């Protein structure tokens, strides 16, 4: 493997993104979808908190979870990498924590960042303190929090999970299995059913000016936040304005054949009392604008259609499911910035 010389100057504190008052923003989700939002949001505010799902049971995260009984660190690692800056320090550390080992032994496919996070959890015995320390090391432009302090199992009611029984509804267990099912996901829930929320995550939502949910794997990264009672209560009670950010395309398996408005309808079934202010969608991903606007109105929201998709190559850490459709960080940042400015303030930005 070719070697390279790296000369890094450690950043001092977090560089301000914009002079003057900035909105306090909380972004919820997991995986590549949350990374897309964070990569955009860190460009427009220096007061940013990510709240991340902890139900992953596949890959390196699943192995560490099974072996050590810890929270799955993978989505937390991806969020931290997305918050790294665009300078040499940020780019280098983003690559380091995302680096996966290739070997013939037990270390194969483990991500460096996963091992670092778990090591600090064991050293400090505190999930939040450890993640804050990793963020400080990386010079992250924001904070990363798990939505719950206990590992969660995602379960789904799926119609036609077994192709030989297309009309049968069965329970599918595990986030990795749910994400890849060939059947129709009808409902999801968590085990345990009433998991405790991380106190700092609840406080961040209550103190926010804006809350952004999505994009991401709808049933396995977006909706799970609404299944944590304390977090759902905070999302319902907060005075923050709320944006629901839609995916660029249905996810193979999990939301195959879903229209944009159907994404809103299934979310509403899981949290019928939760309202939003804005639904953001890419203008080219909405074939029926009237239907989307009507679905948004049922959530108390207006639909904002903006060009947010990347054309051509992919950017770091974007695209739910790793597919071809990816958000452009600059375009997505511009869309969020426009929404924050056009839809007013609840109170003075800090």
């Amino acid at each position: 493997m070719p070697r390279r010389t790296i000369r890094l100057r450690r950043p001092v504190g977090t560089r301000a993104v914009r002079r003057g008052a900035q909105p306090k923003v909380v972004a919820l989700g997991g995986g590549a979808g949350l990374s897309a939002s964070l990569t955009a949001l860190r460009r427009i505010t220096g007061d940013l908190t990510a709240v991340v799902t902890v139900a992953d049971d596949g890959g390196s995260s699943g192995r560490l979870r099974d072996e050590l009984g810890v929270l799955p660190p993978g989505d937390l690692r991806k969020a931290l990498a997305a918050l790294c800056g665009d300078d040499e320090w940020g780019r280098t550390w983003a690559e380091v924590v995302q680096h996966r080992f290739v070997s013939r032994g037990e270390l194969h496919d483990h991500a460096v960042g996963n091992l670092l996070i778990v090591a600090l959890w064991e050293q400090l015995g505190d999930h939040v303190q450890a993640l804050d320390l990793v963020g400080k090391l990386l010079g992250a432009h924001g904070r990363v929090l798990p939505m719950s302090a206990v590992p969660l199992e995602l379960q789904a009611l799926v119609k036609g999970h077994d192709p030989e029984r297309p009309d049968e509804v069965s329970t599918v267990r595990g986030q990795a299995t749910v994400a890849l099912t060939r059947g129709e996901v009808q409902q999801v829930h968590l085990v345990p059913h009433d998991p405790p929320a991380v106190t700092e995550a609840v406080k961040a939502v209550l103190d926010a000016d804006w809350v952004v949910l999505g994009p991401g794997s709808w049933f396995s990264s977006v909706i799970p936040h609404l299944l944590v009672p304390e977090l759902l209560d905070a999302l319902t009670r907060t005075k923050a304005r709320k944006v629901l950010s839609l995916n660029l395309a249905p996810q193979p398996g999990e939301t195959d054949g879903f229209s944009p408005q159907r994404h809103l309808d299934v979310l509403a079934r899981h949290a019928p009392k939760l309202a939003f202010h804005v639904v953001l969608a890419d203008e080219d991903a909405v074939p029926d604008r009237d239907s989307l606007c009507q679905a948004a109105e049922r959530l108390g929201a207006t639909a904002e259609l903006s060009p947010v998709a990347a054309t051509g190559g992919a950017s770091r850490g974007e695209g739910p499911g790793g597919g071809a459709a990816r958000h452009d960080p600059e375009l997505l940042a511009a869309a969020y910035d426009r929404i924050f400015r056009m839809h007013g303030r609840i109170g003075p930005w800090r």
Side-chain angles (χ1 to χ4, degrees):
M1 178 180 296
R3 295 184 179 181
R4 60 172 174 163
T5 301
I6 303 175
R7 295 182 178 87
L8 298 178
R9 178 176 295 176
R10 186 186 178 98
V12 179
T14 301
R15 178 178 59 84
V17 185
R18 175 197 294 155
R19 292 182 180 179
Q22 300 178 58
K24 180 176 278 190
V25 181
V26 175
L28 301 95
L34 177 60
S35 295
S37 260
L38 296 176
T39 305
L41 288 167
R42 65 173 169 80
R43 287 164 159 78
I44 59 175
T45 183
D47 201 337
L48 178 59
T49 300
V51 179
V52 185
T53 53
V54 285
D56 189 9
D57 61 349
S60 171
S61 287
R63 290 159 60 194
L64 290 168
R65 174 177 174 164
D66 290 343
E67 186 172 344
L68 301 174
V70 296
L71 294 179
D75 284 355
L76 297 161
R77 179 199 82 242
K78 292 174 186 175
L80 284 162
L83 289 174
C84 287
D86 294 318
D87 55 359
E88 188 176 13
W89 181 278
R91 290 194 304 271
T92 299
W93 274 110
E95 291 175 4
V96 169
V97 297
Q98 296 281 54
H99 175 77
R100 291 185 183 271
F101 295 103
V102 178
S103 76
R104 297 179 180 176
E106 293 298 318
L107 200 57
H108 178 69
D109 205 38
H110 272 306
V112 170
N114 288 358
L115 302 178
L116 175 62
I117 291 169
V118 172
L120 283 168
W121 283 342
E122 292 192 345
Q123 287 286 318
L124 301 176
D126 187 306
H127 294 104
V128 173
Q129 185 183 357
L131 290 165
D132 284 344
L133 189 56
V134 177
K136 185 177 180 180
L137 171 66
L138 272 55
H141 294 246
R143 192 183 195 193
V144 173
L145 300 169
M147 71 176 186
S148 178
V150 298
L152 304 174
E153 180 185 74
L154 185 72
Q155 295 187 0
L157 294 178
V158 181
K159 181 179 180 180
H161 179 66
D162 183 348
E164 296 184 359
R165 298 180 175 87
D167 295 323
E168 182 179 273
V169 177
S170 57
T171 298
V172 176
R173 295 174 173 82
Q175 181 176 346
T177 307
V178 172
L180 296 175
T181 182
R182 290 182 289 177
E184 177 187 330
V185 180
Q186 299 186 332
Q187 187 176 17
V188 291
H189 61 270
L190 296 173
V191 178
H193 288 278
D194 297 315
V198 166
T199 301
E200 291 84 351
V202 171
K203 186 177 186 301
V205 170
L206 292 174
D207 290 346
D209 295 308
W210 282 90
V211 172
V212 177
L213 179 63
S217 300
W218 213 243
F219 286 105
S220 51
S221 292
V222 175
I223 290 177
H225 290 280
L226 312 181
L227 306 179
V228 179
E230 293 169 294
L231 198 52
L232 176 59
D233 179 66
L235 287 166
T236 304
R237 291 192 297 117
T238 184
K239 294 182 179 179
R241 292 182 180 259
K242 286 164 281 190
V243 180
L244 183 61
S245 190
L246 295 181
N247 295 330
L248 299 173
Q251 183 176 345
E254 192 172 312
T255 55
D256 248 341
F258 275 35
S259 64
Q261 54 269 24
R262 187 174 177 188
H263 284 76
L264 304 191
D265 291 340
V266 298
L267 184 142
R269 287 207 306 269
H270 286 82
K273 295 182 181 180
L274 183 62
F276 289 84
H277 295 83
V278 180
V279 172
L280 173 62
D282 182 74
E283 58 187 9
D284 291 332
V286 181
D288 186 345
R289 298 190 178 201
D290 289 341
S291 294
L292 178 62
C293 289
Q294 291 168 9
E297 287 177 3
R298 291 194 289 272
L299 294 180
T302 58
E304 293 284 344
L305 275 59
S306 300
V308 294
T311 56
S315 298
R316 180 183 70 194
E318 297 164 22
R326 297 180 182 273
H327 287 86
D328 180 283
E330 298 292 346
L331 291 176
L332 187 58
Y336 284 140
D337 190 52
R338 186 166 54 254
I339 288 170
F340 294 169
R341 292 172 181 272
M342 288 178 60
H343 289 267
R345 302 177 179 182
I346 295 299
W349 287 348
R350 296 127 177 109

